[in-house]
């Protein structure tokens, strides 16, 4: 599907992407000139910047990320990504919603509202992992989306089995992040430990697994 056709078909996402800009225009004068742009492990603001970084840059990054994913098939030299358009469309929607939620939460904080940024980020990332994990099993071999190691890209069998494992891991890991935050969110040390213990294996295990599986299949084919 051509990028222009995708844009026409996904007009609801385009409307969602414009909402933060419209909101920014309405609340521009109500937002302080200097706003929090970074938060430490305690959920406290430790860096500040001009309000355009919040009101314009975050929605802008959301738009650029969406457009990049739309135009990926156009720059794929072997058009492999075209075979996995359905899950990528779902991923585009999920990432768009995540950015909009991030924008809303940071605006509320900038306007002096009491929001637990750590809880939002952890639960948001947990949900993101779970939803992306649900789509991961449907992603076909390509150069842009998925667990792209030298071994998954070399052998479709390794790609399929690695993504099947990754799908289960991300669903489980996302649920553990959410549960850990709900149970231990009040204890920063335990909460941070849970995040580290969960996220590192989600990244490392599929990579190691793809290598081991590739070598195993390579030996069996000889």
């Amino acid at each position: 599907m051509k990028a222009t056709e995708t844009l026409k078909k996904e007009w609801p996402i385009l409307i969602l992407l414009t909402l933060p800009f419209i909101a920014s225009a309405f609340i521009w004068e109500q937002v302080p000139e200097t706003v929090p742009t970074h938060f430490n492990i305690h959920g406290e603001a430790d860096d500040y910047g001009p309000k355009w970084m919040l009101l314009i840059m975050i929605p802008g990054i959301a738009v650029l990320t969406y457009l990049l994913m739309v135009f990926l098939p156009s720059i794929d030299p072997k058009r492999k990504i075209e075979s996995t358009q359905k899950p990528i469309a779902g991923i585009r929607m999920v990432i768009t919603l995540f950015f909009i939620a991030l924008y809303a939460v940071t605006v509320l904080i900038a306007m002096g509202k009491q929001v637990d940024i750590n809880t939002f980020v952890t639960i948001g990332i947990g949900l993101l992992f779970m939803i992306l994990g649900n789509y991961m099993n449907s992603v076909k071999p390509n150069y842009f989306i998925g667990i792209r190691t030298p071994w998954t890209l070399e052998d479709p069998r390794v790609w399929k089995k690695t993504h099947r494992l990754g799908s289960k891991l991300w669903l489980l890991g996302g649920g553990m992040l959410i549960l850990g935050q709900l149970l231990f969110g009040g204890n920063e040390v335990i909460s941070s430990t849970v995040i580290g213990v969960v996220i590192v294996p989600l990244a490392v295990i599929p990579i190691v697994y793809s290598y081991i599986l590739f070598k195993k299949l390579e030996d069996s084919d000889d």
Side-chain angles (χ1 to χ4, degrees):
M1 184 183 297
K2 293 182 179 180
T4 53
E5 295 175 358
T6 299
L7 292 173
K8 290 178 181 178
K9 184 178 180 180
E10 296 186 354
W11 60 265
I13 299 182
L14 296 176
I15 292 176
L16 286 175
L17 288 168
T18 63
L19 293 180
F21 292 104
I22 296 173
S24 293
F26 277 100
I27 65 175
W28 188 271
E29 297 300 328
Q30 302 174 42
V31 177
E33 292 298 323
T34 302
V35 298
T37 57
H38 187 268
F39 299 85
N40 61 26
I41 191 174
H42 307 293
E44 302 166 342
D46 60 1
D47 196 10
Y48 296 83
K51 62 182 177 182
W52 67 264
M53 294 182 67
L54 166 59
L55 299 179
I56 301 298
M57 191 171 74
I58 292 180
I61 292 173
V63 172
L64 290 175
T65 302
Y66 171 78
L67 291 177
L68 176 63
M69 296 187 69
V70 167
F71 284 95
L72 281 179
S74 302
I75 61 176
D76 183 355
K78 295 187 178 180
R79 295 288 188 263
K80 289 187 174 184
I81 201 171
E82 290 182 353
S83 64
T84 192
Q85 280 298 311
K86 187 174 181 179
I88 290 179
I91 292 171
R92 284 196 293 264
M93 173 61 83
V94 170
I95 292 178
T96 296
L97 293 174
F98 180 81
F99 271 112
I100 291 175
L102 177 63
Y103 166 84
V105 168
T106 49
V107 165
L108 289 173
I109 293 174
M111 297 178 70
K113 306 298 182 181
Q114 294 297 318
V115 179
D116 186 345
I117 186 68
N118 282 350
T119 295
F120 165 76
V121 170
T122 304
I123 291 180
I125 291 175
L127 288 171
L128 194 61
F129 269 120
M130 292 185 71
I131 297 172
L132 293 179
N134 182 58
Y135 284 112
M136 185 181 293
N137 204 28
S138 303
V139 175
K140 305 300 181 182
N142 68 91
Y143 296 118
F144 300 101
I145 303 294
I147 304 170
R148 302 175 313 281
T149 70
W151 311 290
T152 56
L153 293 173
E154 180 68 21
D155 191 325
R157 297 171 297 175
V158 178
W159 176 283
K160 183 176 181 179
K161 291 185 178 181
T162 299
H163 281 73
R164 187 178 299 163
L165 172 66
S167 177
K168 295 176 182 178
L169 285 175
W170 281 33
L171 284 167
L172 177 62
M176 290 176 64
L177 283 175
I178 295 172
L179 182 61
Q181 183 63 31
L182 293 176
L183 293 177
F184 308 112
N187 189 313
E188 295 167 358
V189 175
I190 296 179
S191 179
S192 300
T193 302
V194 170
I195 294 173
V197 168
V198 171
I199 289 183
V200 172
L202 294 185
V204 174
I205 290 177
I207 295 174
V208 175
Y209 175 78
S210 69
Y211 172 75
I212 294 174
L213 180 60
F214 178 82
K215 298 301 292 184
K216 182 179 179 181
L217 290 174
E218 187 179 47
D219 291 340
S220 64
D221 290 341
D222 289 340

